[in-house]
Amino acid sequence: MGKLDGRVVIITGAARGQGEQEARLFAAEGARVLLGDVLDEQGAAVAEDIGEDRARYVRMDVRREEDWTAAVAAAKEAFGRIDGLVNNAGILRFNELTATPLEEFQQVVQVNQVGAFLGIKAVAPEIEAAGGGTIVNTSSYTGLTGMAYVGTYAATKAAILGLTRVAALELAAKNIRVNAMCPGAVDTPMANPGLLDPDKMTDEAREAMAELYRRVVPMGRVGRPEEIARLALFLTGDDSSYITGQPFVIDGGWMAGVSVL
Ligand SMILES: NC(=O)c1ccc[n+]([C@@H]2O[C@H](COP(=O)([O-])OP(=O)(O)OC[C@H]3O[C@@H](n4cnc5c(N)ncnc54)[C@H](O)[C@@H]3O)[C@@H](O)[C@H]2O)c1
C-alpha cells in the first residue's frame, strides 16, 4: 500500500529538480500526478517515464491565472479530482539589492510569490470539493534567515511563509492542510548550473563547491532533490495529519547555528 493511494496531486516546476523527484516519488506511492512546467520537452518526458496511468504533463506558466484554470481542468479530466498541490516552481536571481533592476525584482515575485498565490487560489476549492487534502509550498531557508545577494528571492520566500500561515488558518475548516518546506542548498540546476552543462563546470569549480558545503553545512554536503521529495511526501500524506501552517527546514543543519570553522 502506498502512502498516497487514491490521491491526485498537481506539482508545478516538475520537469526537473525537486519537482521531478516529487512527481516520481508521489506516483511510486500511489498518487496520480499532474506535472506542470514551462520546459515542455523535459516535463513530457518525465510524465511519460512515470507512465500514462499515473502522470500527465501540461504546459503551465505559474504566473498566468488562465494556465492554472487549464491545469485544474486537465487534472480533473485525466484523474477525476484534485486533492493535493505542491507549489514547487521557482526561480533564483543573484544581485545586490541596490543594483537589482525593478524588472528583475518583479519577475522573481511573479514566479515565486504570485505563482504560489494563484496555485492556492485555483486549487484549494477543488481540494475542498474532493473532501479535503493538502497544499505544500516551497519556501527556502532564505525565507527564514538572510543571505546576501539573493534579496529578491529571499523576499518572495518569506512571503510564501506568510501565505502558508494564512492559507492554513483559512482552509483548516475545509479539511485542507497547508505547510511549507524550507530547503537549504539542494543539488539541482538552480543551485548547481553545472548539472545542465557539465562541460561548463571545471573540476576545480566542482571541488570548490563541494569544499564550500563541507565547510558551511554541518552534515558536510549539499542536499539531494529526493530528500526534499520525501519531506513533500510526509507533508502530503497522512503521516502529517495534525500539522498545518508550519515551515519545515531541511538543510543538513545549516541553520542550526553559526559556523566557527
Ligand atoms: N536548489 C536549491 O538549492 C533550493 C533551495 C531552497 C529552495 N529551493 C526551491 O525549490 C523549488 C524547486 O527548485 P529546484 O531546486 O528544483 O530548481 P530547478 O531550477 O531545477 O527547478 C525549478 C523548476 O521550476 C520551473 N519553472 C520556472 N519558472 C516557471 C514558471 N513560470 N512556471 C512554471 N514552471 C516554472 C523550471 O522550469 C524548473 O523545472 C524552487 O521553488 C526553489 O526556489 C531550491
Side-chain angles (χ1 to χ4, degrees):
M1 216 179 83
K3 285 181 183 289
L4 298 181
D5 280 345
R7 300 283 304 274
V8 176
V9 184
I10 294 180
I11 303 173
T12 65
R16 71 182 194 199
Q18 296 173 43
E20 173 186 348
Q21 294 307 318
E22 285 154 3
R24 289 184 185 280
L25 179 61
F26 283 24
E29 288 289 345
R32 285 166 295 163
V33 286
L34 186 92
L35 294 77
D37 209 299
V38 290
L39 299 174
D40 295 336
E41 215 171 295
Q42 278 170 267
V46 174
E48 195 184 319
D49 194 45
I50 294 173
E52 210 196 347
D53 52 331
R54 298 246 147 249
R56 293 279 198 291
Y57 171 77
V58 290
R59 179 184 180 82
M60 68 175 295
D61 183 332
V62 295
R63 296 172 296 183
R64 293 164 51 94
E65 199 158 20
E66 56 270 41
D67 285 13
W68 277 103
T69 306
V72 163
K76 282 166 68 179
E77 194 190 322
F79 305 128
R81 54 188 268 148
I82 304 166
D83 56 17
L85 167 66
V86 180
N87 271 321
N88 165 77
I91 59 172
L92 169 67
R93 298 287 179 268
F94 291 98
N95 224 329
E96 207 171 335
L97 262 185
T98 53
T100 302
L102 175 60
E103 296 71 32
E104 182 177 301
F105 191 91
Q106 286 171 331
Q107 185 195 22
V108 177
V109 168
Q110 283 294 321
V111 177
N112 295 3
Q113 189 174 328
V114 174
F117 157 68
L118 289 177
I120 294 168
K121 193 175 170 205
V123 181
E126 303 298 332
I127 302 178
E128 182 187 1
T134 53
I135 296 174
V136 176
N137 294 322
T138 310
S139 175
S140 159
Y141 67 156
T142 63
L144 290 163
T145 190
M147 180 182 272
Y149 308 114
V150 296
T152 306
Y153 181 82
T156 63
K157 294 301 185 179
I160 285 172
L161 296 181
L163 268 179
T164 299
R165 294 186 185 103
V166 173
L169 293 174
E170 293 184 5
L171 297 173
K174 296 173 175 169
N175 200 23
I176 302 174
R177 299 185 294 107
V178 188
N179 289 291
M181 304 189 292
C182 300
V186 185
D187 200 20
T188 69
M190 177 178 285
N192 180 5
L195 289 173
L196 290 179
D197 188 353
D199 294 341
K200 282 206 177 130
M201 190 104 164
T202 62
D203 286 347
E204 291 74 38
R206 205 166 285 123
E207 181 46 37
M209 219 158 93
E211 176 54 23
L212 173 75
Y213 292 131
R214 274 196 291 275
R215 259 191 314 112
V216 300
V217 180
M219 286 180 67
R221 65 171 175 86
V222 66
R224 294 187 292 269
E226 310 88 86
E227 294 176 306
I228 312 304
R230 289 204 292 271
L231 176 57
L233 171 65
F234 170 70
L235 294 173
T236 299
D238 282 344
D239 286 344
S240 59
S241 56
Y242 196 50
I243 300 175
T244 196
Q246 296 306 310
F248 288 81
V249 177
I250 172 164
D251 70 345
W254 201 342
M255 263 191 65
V258 290
S259 173
V260 291
L261 298 175

